[in-house]
Every structure is written in structure tokens, then in C-alpha cells.
Amino acid sequence: DVVLTQTPVSLLISLGGQASISCRSSQSLVHSNGNTYLHWYLQKPGQSPQLLIYQVSNRFSGIPDRFSGSGSGTDFTLKISRVEPEDLGVYYCLQRTHNPFTFGSGTKLEIK
Amino acid sequence: EVKLVESGGGLVQPGRSLKLSCAASGFNFNDYWMGWVRQAPGKGLEWIGEINKDSSTINYTPSLKDKFTISRDNAQNTLYLQMSKLGSEDTAIYYCARWGYWGQGTLVTVSS
């Protein structure tokens, strides 16, 4: 199975600051069709996960441009700029290139 | 509005079976692959599996393949998860998911 390693485990960011989360894969996430199925989710406290970014860098409907994704191959990054109180929660990366699909272990974002 | 509503969770004894349902609305259910994800208390996310539009393809995480069965009824806009030989390790919130959307989850507790 593909292993996704997320770092850091937790982040303490000031309001208005910037957060960066890394997701590294044990193998390339480029699908045979050329697409890269690496997505980012946020799970706010007491809620189900919500999709933020799909296929590395595409923001899902309604997601503000403070959230951005980048990367290729095995290394991916989620950046959150101008951090707001509602951004707190646990961020997960998910790969859907290889079966079985797998999640990273999560990064907890806390606000100072 | 896309809605996914899971049901069927609860307390079940070890070794018993349980069937979860997910009622979908607000979109054409027949057009989407559907999946199940679970989350043990205080832990990360685990992909269980997914089923294609006409049930001809079902993918599972290998470690769960022998005890979980995913099915769907397109006429009823409903997704199912049949779970057997349940153990304490299966205690979790079970989420139904389609592209971009998740339900609120249903809690399954396996205990005597």
C-alpha cells in the first residue's frame, strides 16, 4: 500500500499567519492516465472531513484562495495563508491513484 | 443540495454482524462511485472501499476485504456496508462518501 507521511504532526499558527503542511508519498502518485490524484481534506472539530484541494492544486467549490496546493510525483504541500479561526482542525492528504486509497496520518492546526 | 445520511450504527457484540445504510439525495446517485471511510475514536481516517456506478467494480482495502461488503441500490439511492465478524478494532465512526462530499457518519461500537 502507498504510505503518505504528513509533517508536521501539529502546527501552532498566529491569526493572519501562514501554515505549510507536507505530504510525502512512498511512491509516485502520477496515474497511468497522467493525472495525479492527491487531495487535501480538513476535519474541523466534531465534523466530517471536507474537501479543500483536489488533484494537487485545484480548490473545491467554495474554498477560499487562502488555501493552495502544490507538488508533483511524491512530494506535495498545502499552504494556508492569512490563517483564520475557522481553519483549525486536522488536515489530511489522501491519494486515490493506487488501490487501496490511503490517507496521511493528519496534521493538527491550532491557532495562537 | 448534496446530502448523505448514514444510519444503522449502534452497539453490537463481538463476532456479530451489522449493516449500515447511506441515503443519498440532491444529486443523480447513478452517476457516482460511492465509498466508505471509517475513523476510530481519536484516530485518523481509513479507507474501506468503494463501488462503481453499476456495482460491477468494488474495491476494498485488503485488510478489510474478508469482513466488509459494499453494495448499492440505485433505485433507492442507497449505499450499504455489510460488516461481519466484528471486533473491538472495528469500533469507529463510519462515513459514506462520494466525490467532494461526506455524510456526518454513524458510530459503531463493538463491545460485550
Side-chain angles (χ1 to χ4, degrees):
Chain A
D1 297 2
V2 172
V3 176
L4 297 180
T5 302
Q6 271 186 250
T7 55
V9 172
S10 63
L11 276 173
L12 186 60
I13 303 293
S14 299
L15 285 175
Q18 178 167 294
S20 180
I21 300 170
S22 169
C23 178
R24 288 190 169 172
S25 174
S26 60
Q27 58 185 275
S28 173
L29 297 184
V30 180
H31 194 275
S32 55
N33 65 13
N35 293 327
T36 300
Y37 297 103
L38 186 284
H39 315 305
W40 290 96
Y41 285 81
L42 164 60
Q43 186 173 31
K44 297 181 180 181
Q47 296 186 19
S48 56
Q50 62 179 102
L51 179 62
L52 299 173
I53 301 286
Y54 65 95
Q55 289 181 235
V56 181
S57 59
N58 301 282
R59 278 186 299 277
F60 189 58
S61 174
I63 302 302
D65 60 7
R66 301 185 296 102
F67 293 88
S68 63
S70 62
S72 63
T74 60
D75 286 350
F76 304 91
T77 301
L78 175 70
K79 283 188 165 56
I80 312 157
S81 59
R82 305 184 302 280
V83 165
E84 298 185 3
E86 60 264 30
D87 298 337
L88 74 89
V90 181
Y91 291 78
Y92 294 95
C93 53
L94 163 67
Q95 70 82 20
R96 293 177 57 113
T97 296
H98 304 286
N99 270 305
F101 303 152
T102 48
F103 290 92
S105 53
T107 296
K108 186 174 185 178
L109 175 63
E110 295 175 293
I111 312 292
K112 280 186 197 174
Chain B
E1 178 196 5
V2 172
K3 282 190 75 175
L4 299 169
V5 180
E6 301 91 340
S7 60
L11 178 63
V12 60
Q13 292 180 326
R16 303 298 292 264
S17 298
L18 195 65
K19 188 171 185 177
L20 306 182
S21 300
C22 170
S25 61
F27 65 99
N28 191 344
F29 185 71
N30 298 7
D31 286 344
Y32 288 86
W33 285 66
M34 298 294 298
W36 289 96
V37 179
R38 71 179 182 178
Q39 185 171 36
K43 301 295 185 184
L45 301 167
E46 181 179 25
W47 190 272
I48 297 171
E50 66 174 10
I51 184 169
N52 74 341
K53 303 171 192 180
D54 64 3
S55 306
S56 59
T57 300
I58 308 174
N59 298 315
Y60 296 96
T61 289
S63 61
L64 302 177
K65 184 173 183 174
D66 290 340
K67 61 193 305 184
F68 288 179
T69 302
I70 297 172
S71 61
R72 65 191 293 163
D73 183 339
N74 285 347
Q76 298 293 323
N77 291 343
T78 303
L79 177 71
Y80 300 103
L81 180 65
Q82 176 72 52
M83 305 183 292
S84 62
K85 303 173 198 169
L86 288 165
S88 57
E89 69 278 8
D90 299 312
T91 293
I93 297 173
Y94 286 75
Y95 296 103
C96 161
R98 63 142 263 199
W99 173 239
Y101 298 90
W102 293 44
Q104 286 305 301
T106 186
L107 176 62
V108 173
T109 303
V110 183
S111 174
S112 54

